[in-house]
Amino acid sequence: MLQKSEYPASRAIPLSAIVLLAIAIHGPLLLMQLPASSYDANTHMFFATHYASHWFSPWNENWYGGFSQTTYPPLTHQWIALFSHLIGITMAYMLVQGIAIVLLVIGVYRYARIWVNEVQASYAAIGAVFLGSLAMLVYQSGQLPTTAAAALTLNALPYFYWWNRRGSFLSLLKGLALALSAAAAHHVTLMFGAVLFALPVFVLSVMDCNEDGAERNPIAVIVRGVVFAVLMIVGVAIVLLPYLIQLHYNPINQMPIPHGSRD
């Protein structure tokens, strides 16, 4: 008879298999270009089209009588622009969206591993493949920057945790690089992520300071968390400086519009 530990349900599913599952589920839908008819997809492809032709000039004369594309974080648009030279703008959008989905699944797994064991984290990652919110964002709302920024934020948080726990300089660099990339994809998602996800991770790193022979001084853990936060704020301000300048001269005045995010 099988021991309890030998039952399939007690074994962790390899992350590589979960990534292949995500590709198998979402890949055909992306190849069919289903997100192309979503709410915001054409706007993002429009921004990307400009970067593909005018990489160093954010001024776009094809809309509103001319406007600066620094009014929106550029990372996903620039990824699309780069890939578009090889596979066209629409398929480049699908490719970048597929990369964001894969990164999100990996990020859910790595974030869950902070809290639970490998088996439970693998099931959490499988659940991420079938998230209804992900399907809505990808196939209905076309919120590519949101999914990309969420994925990058989730992948940054484990490095934040281990920097706090062990003071690993490499974890600091990787965590900051991913966090700043998330800001360059969608700054608002990073802000919400910092409140909803980073604060619990920070508290956990303080609570775990006496485990596994890592840092035993909670004050040191707190100081490292503050150092990470300060460096991230400074880094985000530098990365988004063109956006912040535009925001200063052209403040956003909210008004009710028909948009899926307001439903």
Side-chain angles (χ1 to χ4, degrees):
M1 295 179 63
L2 290 174
Q3 299 296 321
K4 182 178 180 181
S5 61
E6 295 175 345
Y7 283 106
S10 66
R11 299 175 183 171
I13 299 172
L15 182 57
S16 58
I18 302 173
V19 168
L20 290 175
L21 175 65
I23 295 172
I25 296 297
H26 291 278
L29 302 178
L30 295 174
L31 288 174
M32 293 166 62
Q33 301 183 6
L34 290 188
S37 59
S38 59
Y39 199 94
D40 283 340
N42 282 294
T43 300
H44 297 309
M45 285 188 276
F46 171 74
F47 276 49
T49 300
H50 177 79
Y51 282 121
S53 302
H54 306 89
W55 185 265
F56 296 103
S57 175
W59 186 258
N60 191 330
E61 298 179 350
N62 296 314
W63 208 8
Y64 300 130
F67 75 105
S68 174
Q69 292 196 172
T70 58
T71 52
Y72 202 100
L75 184 63
T76 53
H77 303 148
Q78 292 178 338
W79 282 354
I80 297 169
L82 289 174
F83 289 124
S84 70
H85 294 293
L86 300 175
I87 56 177
I89 200 73
T90 303
M91 285 307 300
Y93 178 93
M94 303 305 153
L95 176 60
V96 174
Q97 181 64 84
I99 292 172
I101 292 172
V102 170
L103 288 176
L104 181 67
V105 171
I106 296 172
V108 168
Y109 175 84
R110 298 184 68 247
Y111 178 75
R113 281 292 289 123
I114 302 175
W115 303 90
V116 297
N117 61 39
E118 190 175 0
V119 175
Q120 295 163 335
S122 66
Y123 285 109
I126 291 174
V129 177
F130 300 99
L131 279 174
S133 56
L134 177 62
M136 184 196 74
L137 288 170
V138 173
Y139 302 107
Q140 189 268 339
S141 299
Q143 293 288 308
L144 170 59
T146 301
T147 54
L152 291 166
T153 300
L154 286 173
N155 278 283
L157 290 172
Y159 293 116
F160 172 58
Y161 175 81
W162 289 113
W163 157 250
N164 292 346
R165 287 283 313 281
R166 296 178 177 175
S168 168
F169 186 68
L170 187 59
S171 293
L172 173 65
L173 292 180
K174 291 180 178 179
L176 286 174
L178 287 166
L180 298 186
S181 297
H186 196 241
H187 55 298
V188 177
T189 301
L190 177 67
M191 293 175 189
F192 278 103
V195 174
L196 297 176
F197 294 95
L199 283 179
V201 170
F202 173 68
V203 173
L204 182 67
S205 66
V206 176
M207 294 173 60
D208 290 349
C209 66
N210 290 321
E211 294 186 4
D212 303 330
E215 179 62 61
R216 296 183 179 275
N217 183 358
I219 301 301
V221 176
I222 293 172
V223 169
R224 284 197 287 267
V226 172
V227 168
F228 188 99
V230 171
L231 291 176
M232 188 182 75
I233 291 171
V234 173
V236 168
I238 294 173
V239 169
L240 294 180
L241 183 59
Y243 169 80
L244 296 174
I245 292 173
Q246 283 292 328
L247 188 65
H248 173 73
Y249 288 107
N250 302 284
I252 298 173
N253 296 313
Q254 289 285 334
M255 58 187 300
I257 60 173
H259 193 282
S261 64
R262 298 179 182 270
D263 290 346

